[in-house]
Amino acid sequence: MSSSTSSSRRSITPADVDALRSLLAGTIRRWSRAAEKPAGVVLVPTAVEQVAVAVKYASENNIDLAVKGGGHSTAGVSSTDGGLLVDLNAKLRGVTVDVDKKLLKVQGGATWADVDAAGVKHGLATVGGTVADTGVGGLVLGGGYGWLSGQRGLAIDNLVEATVVLASGEIVKASEQDNTDLFWALRGAGQNFGVVTEFVLRAFDQGDVWAGIQIYPPTPENITKIVNATNELYQPDANGKTKLLGRGAGGISFGRPPPAGGQVVIIVAIIYFGTEHEAKSVFKPFYDLTPLVDTTALVPYPNINTLLAPPIGFRASLKGLAFALPIRPGFVQEVLENYVEFTDKNEDARTSVIMWELFDPAKVVSSDTGSFANRGWVLNGIALPLWTAAENDQAYRQWARDVNELFKKELEAQQKLNGDAKGDAGPRSGKGAVLLYGNYDQYDERSKDIFGENYSRLQSLKARYDPKNVFNKLFAVTPQA
Ligand SMILES: Cc1cc2nc3c(=O)[nH]c(=O)nc-3n(C[C@H](O)[C@H](O)[C@H](O)COP(=O)(O)OP(=O)(O)OC[C@H]3O[C@@H](n4cnc5c(N)ncnc54)[C@H](O)[C@@H]3O)c2cc1C
């Protein structure tokens, strides 16, 4: 937005045109190719004031507005068909570290790789994405789970301040001191309230981590032993304490990784925030199973967010699953059979993954910050079909929904068994929201179900901060004063 002086003026070269083309292609790119749409106009801001001008203009002229953070939503909510796209990820992704205060100041388009790289230089880390290429923006504004959640809660529990461009174009700060109601709304329903151009996140001392993956053949015996060992570690006791005391995390997945020659395998991720000696004792049942592959080692913190990164360049549909402990080995076997059948029959979907994510939920459950309404003693899983041909979009998305149904039925059966099912409404959090992480389910659930009893307060805040509903793409909240 600066004009060139005559001394700096020069002719446009073919290299300039190529650079512009590649910048534009990058702005339209999304982690899932199925989430890309042709924007009418693209703004690549380098400063918050530029974002403010664009948002005000879109707002006043009723132009469809999309905001791209890391571009990982598979539901297309950071894309616009013909409208105005503000791509924060292209040039607004700096991270500065306040070492004394242990704060990370993160621009709105940064990825977790940017944050991890800046933090590790000072021995610091915060709760962030388990896949480093994911954006900070969408992940934090929708809650934010990470491998550190067992010790530090959600990403929103560690958000100290946000700089926000409101629908009016006004630039404001939100924190526990400033615009406290906006700050509450941002922490869970954030995408509805403005463009965050800077997040200030609390950071913690963090050294190397014992982490890696182990690969096992998917035999019934392995499934039973892995599931039983997992239950033993992650199941809270009557006081809500687990054996791991927040220090362990990981996951159990089914996949067909290329190194396994496309065979179905169980992939167990092991992450332990402690010494090798402790880790080997805590995770002994897994080591005793003699995995086919074991990459566990002491690694720098950023490495743990690359362990399970799915390949980039596919069409994809992230679908959230919810499960409670103890996991039933027979259920895992059923899911395996479903996975094998789907990936056997659909060559184009061979790279797909199903995963149970594991961490100690006690810390997340004990916090209550923000408008996020899905905290509970359930953990998240994902069904992630990955494919290439657009003609398969519907069928493969449907498969992910079917897997979600399997998990829902299992959770309902478990809760009935425990006598805490809530009638026909299905499993709900203490705030009346569905037990499903919204950021893992950006198309099927309704906003009222995601925000539960917080929805009506969000509606009145929406009437104040975004009365024309300019920010309406993800779990939209209808303004109501
Ligand atoms: C491979 C993969 C791994 C994942 N891992 C995790 C994980 O470990 N933990 C977890 O909690 N979630 C995880 N997720 C889910 C993730 O939180 C959501 O997909 C999230 O929407 C991604 O944010 P983004 O900025 O990359 O996405 P985008 O597609 O850019 O944006 C998603 C939404 O957020 C809005 N948005 C983005 N940035 C801003 C901003 N600065 N200001 C205002 N609005 C903004 C967009 O407008 C859009 O509505 C993962 C997803 C994928 C695909």
Side-chain angles (χ1 to χ4, degrees):
M1 288 208 170
S2 61
S3 59
S4 57
T5 62
S6 55
S7 60
S8 69
R9 214 172 276 155
R10 64 172 176 80
S11 355
I12 293 173
T13 66
D16 294 329
V17 175
D18 285 349
L20 192 58
R21 273 213 185 99
S22 119
L23 178 66
L24 268 176
T27 64
I28 300 302
R29 271 267 170 274
R30 294 295 177 273
W31 184 79
S32 164
R33 299 297 182 254
E36 293 169 359
K37 295 176 195 166
V41 184
V42 179
L43 174 77
V44 175
T46 52
V48 59
E49 292 77 13
Q50 296 166 359
V51 177
V53 171
V55 170
K56 188 169 191 291
Y57 184 79
S59 184
E60 287 175 354
N61 294 284
N62 298 320
I63 296 170
D64 187 49
L65 177 72
V67 180
K68 179 186 174 190
H72 273 49
S73 160
T74 61
V77 296
S78 55
S79 305
T80 168
D81 208 340
L84 168 59
L85 168 66
V86 176
D87 179 1
L88 301 171
N89 185 245
K91 296 196 172 167
L92 214 58
R93 52 191 286 183
V95 181
T96 51
V97 185
D98 184 331
V99 180
D100 294 335
K101 292 189 181 150
K102 293 193 180 163
L103 295 175
L104 300 165
K105 297 184 178 172
V106 182
Q107 287 187 313
T111 65
W112 290 103
D114 300 326
V115 176
D116 292 348
V120 76
K121 286 185 195 148
H122 304 280
L124 295 172
T126 189
V127 178
T130 57
V131 174
D133 48 64
T134 313
V136 172
L139 186 141
V140 171
L141 295 172
Y145 288 88
W147 297 132
L148 280 168
S149 288
Q151 294 177 66
R152 312 292 183 190
L154 297 176
I156 48 169
D157 299 334
N158 297 294
L159 180 63
V160 175
E161 184 185 272
T163 305
V164 192
V165 175
L166 300 175
S168 61
E170 194 187 345
I171 302 167
V172 299
K173 300 268 186 205
S175 68
E176 291 291 3
Q177 288 75 42
D178 294 320
N179 296 303
T180 50
D181 48 5
L182 175 63
F183 192 50
W184 175 84
L186 286 176
R187 288 172 293 165
Q191 297 90 342
N192 275 290
F193 286 87
V195 183
V196 176
T197 54
E198 186 183 81
F199 297 88
V200 180
L201 300 168
R202 195 174 297 118
F204 306 92
D205 294 325
Q206 183 59 61
D208 290 349
V209 186
W210 184 261
I213 56 164
Q214 297 184 335
I215 293 184
Y216 303 87
T219 61
E221 195 193 352
N222 279 342
I223 287 180
T224 302
K225 286 188 173 158
I226 288 168
V227 169
N228 288 344
T230 298
N231 289 333
E232 186 69 19
L233 283 179
Y234 291 92
Q235 170 99 47
D237 65 17
N239 301 316
K241 281 218 163 71
T242 71
K243 285 216 168 99
L244 287 163
L245 296 171
R247 308 189 80 182
I252 303 174
S253 321
F254 294 133
R256 290 177 179 258
Q263 293 298 306
V264 176
V265 292
I266 307 175
I267 304 161
V268 172
I270 288 183
I271 292 162
Y272 189 75
F273 298 96
T275 64
E276 171 178 358
H277 179 72
E278 286 166 1
K280 288 211 162 141
S281 143
V282 168
F283 288 95
K284 186 169 181 304
F286 295 85
Y287 287 97
D288 286 350
L289 272 178
T290 52
L292 298 172
V293 173
D294 179 7
T295 70
T296 53
L298 201 61
V299 296
Y301 173 81
N303 292 29
I304 69 175
N305 295 324
T306 60
L307 284 180
L308 295 174
I312 298 179
F314 285 86
R315 303 176 83 77
S317 177
L318 184 67
K319 180 79 188 160
L321 314 169
F323 66 96
L325 294 162
I327 307 169
R328 192 169 56 85
F331 173 63
V332 176
Q333 186 68 43
E334 276 167 42
V335 175
L336 170 68
E337 280 155 23
N338 178 301
Y339 175 82
V340 171
E341 190 187 346
F342 172 67
T343 50
D344 270 352
K345 278 194 185 149
N346 297 285
E347 184 71 34
D348 192 22
R350 282 281 165 104
T351 320
S352 306
V353 176
I354 293 182
M355 179 173 175
W356 286 256
E357 289 181 354
L358 298 163
F359 70 99
D360 182 341
K363 181 74 183 168
V364 170
V365 175
S366 67
S367 314
D368 185 25
T369 49
S371 53
F372 187 82
N374 315 95
R375 295 173 201 261
W377 290 101
V378 288
L379 294 168
N380 303 315
I382 55 166
L384 181 63
L386 294 161
W387 69 98
T388 59
E391 71 207 37
N392 291 325
D393 285 3
Q394 274 205 344
Y396 294 177
R397 285 190 178 124
Q398 186 54 46
W399 170 71
R401 290 187 175 106
D402 293 345
V403 176
N404 171 282
E405 276 303 313
L406 278 181
F407 274 71
K408 210 187 260 175
K409 283 200 182 111
E410 177 71 4
L411 191 57
E412 280 169 0
Q414 246 173 323
Q415 298 209 328
K416 271 197 190 113
L417 209 65
N418 298 336
D420 53 4
K422 299 228 167 49
D424 292 338
R428 297 265 155 174
S429 76
K431 290 194 184 296
V434 282
L435 286 178
L436 205 59
Y437 175 34
N439 261 351
Y440 279 0
D441 193 313
Q442 300 187 333
Y443 21 98
D444 287 332
E445 300 298 330
R446 296 177 318 147
S447 305
K448 280 184 188 163
D449 288 328
I450 288 293
F451 299 123
E453 64 190 38
N454 289 340
Y455 185 74
S456 54
R457 182 173 173 200
L458 287 169
Q459 282 191 290
S460 61
L461 291 174
K462 186 79 173 168
R464 173 138 47 108
Y465 288 105
D466 182 16
K468 285 169 76 182
N469 207 0
V470 173
F471 300 102
N472 60 22
K473 294 210 177 299
L474 176 56
F475 298 127
V477 172
T478 310
Q480 194 167 354

